[in-house]
Amino acid sequence: MSTIQTNCPHCMQQLAADDSILGQYVDCPACGKRFRLQAQSSAETANGGFGTPRISMTVALVFQCISLAYSGIEMLMVFGEADEDALGVLALLGIVPIVLALIFSCILHYKCWKAVPEGFARLTPGKAVGYLFIPFYNLYWAFPSFGGLGSDCAMVAAKNGLRGFASLSGLGLTYAILWVVNLVAQNVPVLGFFTAVADFVVWLLFYKGVVRLLNGLAAAESAPQTIG
């Protein structure tokens, strides 16, 4: 006999049961409601059940790297005294990865805010991301949006007794500052490159910690309960 994993169709609690009772009606140990025990597909298992898939920063990271590489090439061309036509073509080619980096970074930011446990999140995901597109106001909003995410996640970690996440508060504030600086300096080739590098490094450290924390909480909450 082996163990199968499935989810309660009523409360979505992840469950583990012996395959010998597959097809029988059982009571969920979490919500107490009765349902017929069925094995779930491998795709559902990979996503941790019928719930939301884990947060991934891979796509955002790829386009962030491409965008940073574009900034480096642009700086080298300026130092190499490239003609204006070449710089113009480079600027046009760079629009696509920059826009994609922005889009996927916003998606990542939205998912992180959405995953912050209820009672800890000071902002809704929509406000956290949407207000960043308001000209001038976004220079202020970066601090509640990025700094707030770091502080809220640090509080979640402290509340759950998790170590190694206290730095998220400082990283969130630092990233908010660099985000504002990078927004202002992005059109200055040399200065823009160095601010972009600093912005990328802090972005990577910040979201790596946030994603690790939030995915860890999701995994703990969805830890299977045994039936029978």
Side-chain angles (χ1 to χ4, degrees):
M1 294 185 293
S2 60
T3 300
I4 62 168
Q5 289 192 1
T6 187
N7 289 74
C8 171
H10 304 290
C11 68
M12 296 300 132
Q13 170 65 45
Q14 190 172 354
L15 305 169
D18 196 286
D19 63 356
S20 62
I21 60 174
L22 188 63
Q24 298 180 20
Y25 284 89
V26 296
D27 294 322
C28 174
C31 67
K33 293 184 179 180
R34 197 166 184 79
F35 69 98
R36 187 177 183 182
L37 184 64
Q38 296 178 332
Q40 64 190 50
S41 68
S42 58
E44 290 168 342
T45 303
N47 286 338
F50 295 104
T52 304
R54 301 284 179 84
I55 301 171
S56 173
M57 58 185 294
T58 303
V59 178
L61 177 60
V62 168
F63 285 107
Q64 284 279 358
C65 291
I66 295 174
S67 180
L68 182 63
Y70 159 76
S71 297
I73 294 172
E74 182 183 43
M75 185 186 70
L76 291 175
M77 291 186 70
V78 169
F79 278 126
E81 298 182 352
D83 58 48
E84 294 184 0
D85 291 338
L87 288 175
V89 172
L90 179 63
L92 289 174
L93 293 176
I95 290 175
V96 175
I98 290 176
V99 170
L100 289 175
L102 174 63
I103 291 173
F104 286 107
S105 294
C106 286
I107 292 173
L108 171 64
H109 192 55
Y110 182 95
K111 288 182 177 180
C112 288
W113 269 110
K114 188 175 182 180
V116 176
E118 186 178 354
F120 288 94
R122 68 185 69 188
L123 301 176
T124 63
K127 284 185 177 180
V129 174
Y131 286 11
L132 289 173
F133 291 90
I134 301 176
F136 301 110
Y137 185 74
N138 55 8
L139 299 178
Y140 154 74
W141 192 251
F143 294 91
S145 186
F146 299 116
L149 177 62
S151 296
D152 291 353
C153 284
M155 285 193 295
V156 170
K159 183 70 174 179
N160 287 274
L162 302 175
R163 298 180 179 180
F165 297 99
S167 61
L168 289 179
S169 182
L171 283 171
L173 178 60
T174 303
Y175 181 64
I177 295 172
L178 288 172
W179 189 88
V180 171
V181 173
N182 192 44
L183 186 67
V184 174
Q186 62 182 341
N187 293 322
V188 183
V190 178
L191 178 60
F193 172 71
F194 288 108
T195 58
V197 171
D199 179 271
F200 172 78
V201 172
V202 177
W203 177 90
L204 181 60
L205 293 174
F206 175 55
Y207 281 103
K208 183 178 179 181
V210 170
V211 168
R212 185 163 65 91
L213 169 67
L214 297 176
N215 281 344
L217 291 175
E221 291 175 357
S222 62
Q225 295 188 22
T226 303
I227 300 176

